[in-house]
Amino acid sequence: MNIQQLRYIQEVARRGLNVSDAADALFTSQPGVSKQIRLLESELGIEIFVRHGKRLVDITEPGRAVLAIAERVLHDLGNLQQVGEEFANEASGSLSIATTHTQARYVLPRVVRDFMQRYPQVRLSLHQGNPRQVCEMVLDGTADIAIATEAIADYDDLVMLPCYQWNRCVVATPRHPILRESPLTLEAIARYPIITYDDAFTGRSHINKAFLGRGLKPNVVLTAIDSDVIKKYVELDLGVGILARMAYDSEEDRKLGMADASHLFESSTTRIGLRRRAWLRAYVYAFIEGFAPHLTRRMVETAVAGGGTDPGL
């Protein structure tokens, strides 16, 4: 048994049991992958995969247990490598952050600027996607940190660290009647076409819940994954926009008027997601604390080690 065999079965499972795709991802040959899987199965005395002819069609019950152990072993091996890098060169390396457009565009710029000034030798990369995608990026090793509002709570292998709470506003063209509503109500908003986030994004579930709670069926005519796209179509007077309050800037968005809607919707919490039992470089803790000052290194270490997942806001 060797580490390479564990990598092979893990990658085959990730690639939907496509051995050819797994071999390409691992820069090796398909026959080589198949042979090593057979050798591992022979040594363990079980079949990890169900076969139909030469094709893999499913994972056996003992195979699922083997894959779970392989995942832990490979994860701990990655931690060992991180320990070596940490003490070999504490101020250089790489940090990959997976997040949504709203966080990348409106919240992270200041944090990233400060971090890069403090750690100029760390290669920083941002990956954007919907909340589920950014969580998957951390789980598969593409990213070190996930920053999102939705979905992180759905992943047992991620530690949830609450960062800050936020709410929503309504935007419209400056002379739109919705801006004269006082107080602003859900009933008033529901009278107009609505442009807002896609269902997977930025607290959309709280928007749906609020209207449903009042027995209203909003006329959502357009959804987008990007706050700037929402604002652009609102500028064209195609509807009123419901978006994160952080995404409206009175200087940049002069073609739009804004009405606070925080009294209409439940607050949302943006969280950082980290893989459980991950070994984090010192500069990762520094980035987290720069993003959410209440998340000290000690708090994060305790949470990642399994001593709690919600330090609170």
Side-chain angles (χ1 to χ4, degrees):
M1 188 187 305
N2 58 61
I3 296 297
Q4 199 67 7
Q5 290 170 335
L6 301 184
R7 288 198 176 100
Y8 286 173
I9 63 171
Q10 181 189 59
E11 195 62 34
V12 167
R14 284 180 178 174
R15 301 284 169 172
L17 307 184
N18 189 313
V19 179
S20 179
D21 286 352
D24 289 343
L26 294 165
F27 304 102
T28 188
S29 68
Q30 179 177 339
V33 172
S34 297
K35 178 182 178 181
Q36 289 301 317
I37 291 175
R38 284 290 195 187
L39 288 172
L40 179 60
E41 288 178 322
S42 176
E43 182 172 351
L44 296 176
I46 61 169
E47 287 193 341
I48 297 171
F49 299 104
V50 179
R51 292 170 174 81
H52 182 74
K54 294 184 178 180
R55 291 176 55 246
L56 304 185
V57 296
D58 203 353
I59 303 171
T60 66
E61 184 175 349
R64 295 185 191 281
V66 171
L67 282 164
I69 294 170
E71 187 84 14
R72 293 198 295 271
V73 170
L74 293 171
H75 177 60
D76 287 342
L77 179 62
N79 283 346
L80 286 175
Q81 293 169 335
Q82 291 275 14
V83 171
E85 292 174 4
E86 168 76 8
F87 290 97
N89 196 335
E90 297 181 9
S92 68
S94 63
L95 174 59
S96 179
I97 300 160
T99 189
T100 60
H101 169 269
T102 298
Q103 301 296 328
R105 168 72 172 81
Y106 297 102
V107 183
L108 282 174
R110 176 193 58 80
V111 181
V112 168
R113 179 201 63 199
D114 293 348
F115 178 83
M116 292 180 71
Q117 290 174 349
R118 182 176 176 184
Y119 294 96
Q121 292 182 289
V122 174
R123 300 184 306 278
L124 191 64
S125 58
L126 291 176
H127 303 275
Q128 291 187 48
N130 67 43
R132 294 198 176 278
Q133 289 170 334
V134 305
C135 292
E136 294 291 346
M137 288 180 201
V138 172
L139 291 176
D140 69 18
T142 302
D144 303 299
I145 297 173
I147 300 176
T149 298
E150 305 276 7
I152 291 180
D154 300 336
Y155 291 84
D156 291 337
D157 289 334
L158 291 182
V159 174
M160 300 179 297
L161 302 174
C163 299
Y164 67 92
Q165 290 186 323
W166 56 270
N167 216 301
R168 291 147 197 84
C169 65
V170 169
V171 293
T173 51
R175 296 184 180 181
H176 197 288
I178 194 69
L179 300 178
R180 297 194 293 273
E181 294 285 340
S182 183
L184 180 65
T185 64
L186 291 171
E187 287 77 8
I189 298 171
R191 290 199 293 267
Y192 302 101
I194 294 172
I195 304 171
T196 191
Y197 298 104
D198 180 86
D199 279 335
F201 277 80
T202 318
R204 174 67 190 276
S205 60
H206 289 337
I207 296 175
N208 296 342
K209 181 180 176 181
F211 282 107
L212 183 63
R214 299 286 293 183
L216 299 170
K217 187 175 181 180
N219 178 25
V220 178
V221 296
L222 179 65
T223 63
I225 65 175
D226 183 323
S227 301
D228 293 332
V229 172
I230 293 172
K231 290 187 287 187
K232 179 57 67 177
Y233 283 98
V234 172
E235 286 179 15
L236 297 175
D237 209 16
L238 298 180
V240 300
I242 302 176
L243 71 160
R245 177 63 183 83
M246 70 189 83
Y248 176 83
D249 185 291
S250 58
E251 288 297 316
E252 293 186 5
D253 300 316
R254 295 179 181 179
K255 295 181 180 179
L256 296 174
M258 184 274 291
D260 180 72
S262 59
H263 60 293
L264 301 178
F265 303 103
E266 182 181 342
S267 294
S268 292
T269 301
T270 291
R271 291 179 170 85
I272 280 178
L274 299 165
R275 189 161 180 167
R276 293 186 185 279
R277 298 176 296 279
W279 174 271
L280 304 178
R281 303 284 300 274
Y283 56 72
V284 179
Y285 292 105
F287 182 90
I288 293 171
E289 193 164 355
F291 184 74
H294 67 284
L295 294 177
T296 63
R297 176 166 182 163
R298 184 174 181 180
M299 282 184 173
V300 176
E301 285 178 332
T302 300
V304 170
T309 58
D310 194 342
L313 290 172

